[in-house]
Amino acid sequence: MPATDTAPPADRIRPTAPQAPTSNGGATPPVKKKTRVAKKENKTRATTEVAVSIDELALSVRGWEVQDVRARVSTEDYGKGNHFHKLAVSGVLRFNSDDWTDCFGHSRDYPPPVVIAIRSPKLSEHEATFRPVFVSTKEATRPVRFSENDWFVHTYEAIDHDDLTLTVTAYDGYEGNGHMPYIPVGIEPIPLEVVDDTTRPGTQLAVNQIHVFTHADDNATYGGIQASGRVTVGTIDELATQHREGKSWITAETPLAELTPFECPVPQLSFDFLDETGFLLEQVRVRLGIEVPVSEDGRTPGRVASWRIDEDFNPDDFSEPAAKVIMRIEDNAWS
């Protein structure tokens, strides 16, 4: 989508800042950065090419290949400390179902999610991620083209365009943005406790990192949940026991050969937001959509499944400020 000269939507403009005047939007090879400056009325715009890295291993084992991805960042300066920053990303992906040997889903109708991570260490200690495409396996038999072009941060100071980097990667399970996200700035962490309530050793979630926080500008306060990890898989007997649960037509004596092939869903996550008195303010549930398959000959996948969460919540909806979050890992109710 081509860049436009339209000012950002009203809900993303800080009310104390002056309003913009109305006017009629393997790693890739290094790109020599070129900066263009255009002046129109009281607005100055500078545009710079952004470096994009490709996580080829994560993509290839999930059937994806990046043919071309380019990105550019533009800053629109309306004067008096009012800077709006827009990120444009476009690319072409290819999907090869034959390379997708380990499928961690109920079916092969939809490829694993491709995810783009946006990072700017000088702006924020946290990345922002989004899923640029959502296509079926049938649709992905031809090249998959995508384009995103939207505001990703608003600051009172100019930003260093060279500090911004993008990474294209893939996961087996992703719950998060389907559009250009805002990089969280002005972060306030919320105290966090992790509780594992699971009872099934066949499938477990290992957490690599987890952050729950609020971030704010002059317009509103926002909330973010960012987590990532991997799936750990038990023995074939433990998976078979998990598969038998809740199925009256299967008994403990049913041999494995009569059970296979089958899938076991991974645990689900629940984020409980509590105030200072322990009152439950809100509960955010996340299902990752990952299932561990057992083949007809009783084998499990040859690689480890990975997952990522980048969810939003609205702390302004809470009756009191959140003093604590408990992340509960629970048995999947759909097992």
Side-chain angles (χ1 to χ4, degrees):
M1 181 182 298
T4 67
D5 290 332
T6 305
D11 62 351
R12 288 192 173 181
I13 298 178
R14 303 188 186 206
T16 57
Q19 297 295 310
T22 302
S23 65
N24 290 346
T28 54
V31 178
K32 183 179 180 180
K33 297 181 183 297
K34 298 180 179 180
T35 299
R36 302 193 307 273
V37 177
K39 292 186 177 181
K40 192 172 184 180
E41 297 180 0
N42 296 327
K43 177 179 68 176
T44 300
R45 181 174 64 196
T47 302
T48 306
E49 297 288 326
V50 176
V52 180
S53 64
I54 310 298
D55 189 346
E56 292 184 341
L57 178 60
L59 290 157
S60 62
V61 298
R62 295 168 179 87
W64 286 105
E65 175 192 357
V66 173
Q67 286 199 313
D68 178 49
V69 173
R70 296 179 59 194
R72 57 182 55 148
V73 59
S74 61
T75 292
E76 297 187 359
D77 179 5
Y78 293 94
K80 298 182 180 179
N82 201 11
H83 298 78
F84 296 99
H85 311 281
K86 179 178 284 188
L87 184 64
V89 188
S90 65
V92 182
L93 308 173
R94 281 191 178 273
F95 180 73
N96 186 350
S97 184
D98 292 338
D99 293 338
W100 185 25
T101 55
D102 292 318
C103 172
F104 289 91
H106 179 68
S107 74
R108 297 177 66 88
D109 291 342
Y110 291 91
V114 173
V115 175
I116 295 180
I118 307 166
R119 183 162 182 78
S120 180
K122 292 181 180 179
L123 280 176
S124 176
E125 61 188 276
H126 295 298
E127 295 178 334
T129 65
F130 71 101
R131 183 176 183 174
V133 296
F134 188 92
V135 294
S136 67
T137 305
K138 184 177 180 180
E139 291 173 309
T141 55
R142 56 184 179 271
V144 179
R145 294 175 172 82
F146 68 89
S147 177
E148 286 285 333
N149 183 28
D150 209 343
W151 312 102
F152 73 99
V153 72
H154 172 207
T155 63
Y156 288 131
E157 302 289 340
I159 66 171
D160 181 1
H161 286 188
D162 291 341
D163 184 55
L164 188 70
T165 58
L166 270 65
T167 301
V168 184
T169 186
Y171 296 90
D172 298 289
Y174 174 77
E175 288 296 320
N177 301 293
H179 53 80
M180 184 71 69
Y182 257 36
I183 286 184
V185 294
I187 289 174
E188 292 291 339
I190 302 177
L192 176 70
E193 178 183 351
V194 178
V195 177
D196 190 341
D197 289 331
T198 58
T199 61
R200 301 165 180 157
T203 58
Q204 294 282 302
L205 292 182
V207 180
N208 294 341
Q209 60 94 16
I210 169 69
H211 303 283
V212 183
F213 53 86
T214 61
H215 56 107
D217 58 23
D218 292 336
N219 191 43
T221 300
Y222 312 94
I225 300 171
Q226 294 187 349
S228 64
R230 63 195 185 280
V231 176
T232 60
V233 180
T235 65
I236 294 297
D237 287 340
E238 289 171 337
L239 289 167
T241 298
Q242 179 173 333
H243 178 62
R244 289 185 178 100
E245 287 186 16
K247 300 177 177 65
S248 58
W249 62 93
I250 299 177
T251 67
E253 289 73 33
T254 304
L256 181 64
E258 295 182 17
L259 298 178
T260 59
F262 63 87
E263 301 87 21
C264 289
V266 303
Q268 62 191 25
L269 300 173
S270 174
F271 295 87
D272 296 347
F273 292 80
L274 310 175
D275 68 9
E276 289 184 346
T277 69
F279 184 88
L280 181 60
L281 300 165
E282 180 68 275
Q283 192 173 60
V284 177
R285 292 186 178 275
V286 177
R287 285 191 173 94
L288 295 167
I290 298 176
E291 297 187 352
V292 176
V294 177
S295 65
E296 192 166 356
D297 56 358
R299 291 186 299 175
T300 55
R303 66 173 178 84
V304 176
S306 65
W307 54 271
R308 182 156 186 166
I309 298 169
D310 198 346
E311 289 278 15
D312 298 327
F313 64 91
N314 187 359
D316 288 339
D317 286 344
F318 297 171
S319 58
E320 291 288 339
K324 180 180 180 180
V325 177
I326 300 178
M327 186 186 85
R328 301 185 188 276
I329 308 174
E330 305 170 332
D331 292 334
N332 197 310
W334 292 353
S335 293

